[in-house]
Amino acid sequence: MGKVTGFLEYERVEEAYEPPQARLKNWKEFVITLNAEQSKVQGARCMDCGTPFCTSGCPVNNIIPDFNELVYQGDWKLALDTLHQTNNFPEFTGRVCPAPCEAACVLNVNDDAVGIKSIEHAIIDRGWNEGWVVPQLAPAQTGKKVAIVGSGPAGLAAAQQLARAGHEVTVFEKNSRIGGLLRYGIPDFKMEKSHIDRRITQMQAEGVVFRTGVLVGAMPAGSKVTNDAQETITPEQLKSDFDAVVLTGGSETSRDLPVSGRDLDGVHFAMEFLPLQNKVVAGDKIKGQLKATGKHVIVIGGGDTGSDCVGTSNRHGAASVTQFELMPQPPEEENKPMTWPYWPYKLRTSSSHEEGCDREFAIATKELMGSKGKVTGLKTVRIEMQGGKMVEVPGSEQEYKADLVLLAMGFVAPVGSVLEAFGVEKDARGNIKAATEGAASYKTSVEQVFAAGDMRRGQSLVVWAIREGRQAARAVDEYLMGSSTLPR
Ligand SMILES: Cc1cc2nc3c(=O)[nH]c(=O)nc-3n(C[C@H](O)[C@H](O)[C@H](O)COP(=O)(O)OP(=O)(O)OC[C@H]3O[C@@H](n4cnc5c(N)ncnc54)[C@H](O)[C@@H]3O)c2cc1C
Ligand code: SF4
């Protein structure tokens, strides 16, 4: 345990941010990592609970009390090794995870949770700076070949685990760069892409081969899903060239808004808008950028993706940014006795909201209005809950001006044609059907084909993708070798 009386003596220390006026001028990260002394104080607050709810609240089951203690003792190298035991990529989660571990922290019952995410962030950044993150070569090669389809966090975690178990791993990615939504969804100001690049270098040294611009299966004609593929491979070819295939293609079909005016110019999915900006920051050549500069922007959808559209629009210099959320405004504070140790229902204000944004709750879009084929505004109505149902409030119709409307209402399912090309069974929501427990863990209905991440569980979080990639790797290793020493 850090310091026996640490939780009584010290307050939680939040990571500081660069001020909005400064950070809005560029695409760089603006969170200031805790220094060694601040991290030590955070570590000292941990009570080393007999039942560490933080660990069970964390989808990868990070061994949180141990690394908190190690940071308090100043043993950063062992803290890094402890973190890497359960998480291949703490630099991703230390930046973008919503930290369900903190919601579950026992100190959160009647005080502020231990700043677990900020400690994770400090450990992994120090690890990279000190040169402690090095390739971990497999002790022996198995001669087995595994194909991973999709290079998001699920595919990367699976690939790294399988390469370290001695398999020959190739990752196929339809886009020009590796990383999935880490690369093309999450903006640089939340996570700079150099973090992905140095992991790719590490993984290449561990034997992973990356093939970009290669689509496995088929994409429907006219699809708006990001696809830079120059080459297509059939599932049959992949299955004959490899001993096992892992499908980690994400949940890429955006939820649409079926109202009049949807076809107007200036109405786009968030995932038509965000990837272009990330490509510009990377210095890629693109055909024409969708920009919010000088425009009145309405973002429809109140989640992470919507918030990223807000931050990106403000950096473009939008005239105004308004975000719509269908559900009523949540309370400012959670009801802790009702929710702990689970994820609390409360108002969440992101760093992008703080940079400037009007937020409208309990509002639905009835129609998109336009002139000469271009969007000019929206007709809306207020919504209220009656008897558990959402109903429109009579007389609450309103019009909003808009030159750019971004649809950020989540993702309904993976691209169906890819699943159909493989012939894998789907679940009721259109995701790949595969269990996570028992002998058939992560196995699809097709022999030698496995599935993990958003393609299996539906739209989720980076940390869940890493968990599923790791667990699927163990299932593949068992399938190929009869047993596995990879952790679950
Ligand atoms: C804008 C946005 C912001 C987000 N912000 C956060 C956040 O702050 N924190 C958080 O935890 N989560 C966030 N998420 C969610 C998170 O990014 C995803 O849950 C996570 O990336 C899913 O990982 P994955 O590996 O399953 O799939 P993805 O990251 O979606 O990767 C799938 C990859 O597979 C490729 N692919 C698909 N089909 C094929 C095929 N047939 N052939 C070849 N390649 C293929 C795709 O091109 C893609 O690169 C965000 C999501 C979005 C859209
Ligand atoms: S629940 Fe909180 S206080 Fe308890 S061990 Fe985990 S981080 Fe430390």
Side-chain angles (χ1 to χ4, degrees), residues 2 9 28 55 118 205 241 244 250 276 305 308 314 324 331 348-350 362 408 412-413 426 439 451 457:
E9 286 176 46
K28 293 189 179 354
T55 294
S118 61
D241 291 351
L276 291 177
T305 306
D308 292 346
N314 277 325
F324 287 178
R348 292 176 196 278
T349 301
S350 71
V412 284
K426 298 180 195 172
R457 62 183 291 117

Side-chain angles (χ1 to χ4, degrees), residues 346-398:
K346 66 172 180 182
L347 180 68
R348 292 176 196 278
T349 301
S350 71
S351 54
S352 291
H353 293 134
E354 285 165 1
E355 291 161 5
C357 167
D358 291 324
R359 299 172 77 183
E360 300 286 350
F361 292 89
I363 189 166
T365 304
K366 299 284 284 179
E367 186 186 332
L368 294 158
M369 302 177 298
S371 160
K372 298 182 187 149
K374 286 194 169 166
V375 72
T376 54
L378 294 87
K379 281 191 183 163
T380 64
V381 66
R382 293 285 161 177
I383 298 289
E384 65 182 12
M385 299 298 277
Q386 276 181 19
K389 278 194 179 158
M390 283 192 285
V391 295
E392 293 180 6
V393 178
S396 66
E397 291 77 9
Q398 209 177 332

Side-chain angles (χ1 to χ4, degrees), residues 132-138 160 164 201-207:
W132 294 333
V133 186
V134 291
Q136 293 178 28
L137 302 184
Q160 186 164 60
R164 289 178 177 177
T201 305
Q202 183 202 31
M203 289 173 67
Q204 283 170 328
E206 290 169 350

Side-chain angles (χ1 to χ4, degrees), residues 45-49 52-54 64-65 68 104-107 114 116:
R45 293 188 73 232
C46 177
M47 303 184 292
D48 193 10
C49 303
F53 279 81
C54 53
I64 294 163
N68 284 345
C105 173
V106 175
L107 205 48
V114 173
I116 302 166

Side-chain angles (χ1 to χ4, degrees), residues 309-323:
C309 290
V310 170
T312 302
S313 299
N314 277 325
R315 279 166 182 71
H316 282 172
S320 70
V321 184
T322 307
Q323 188 178 21

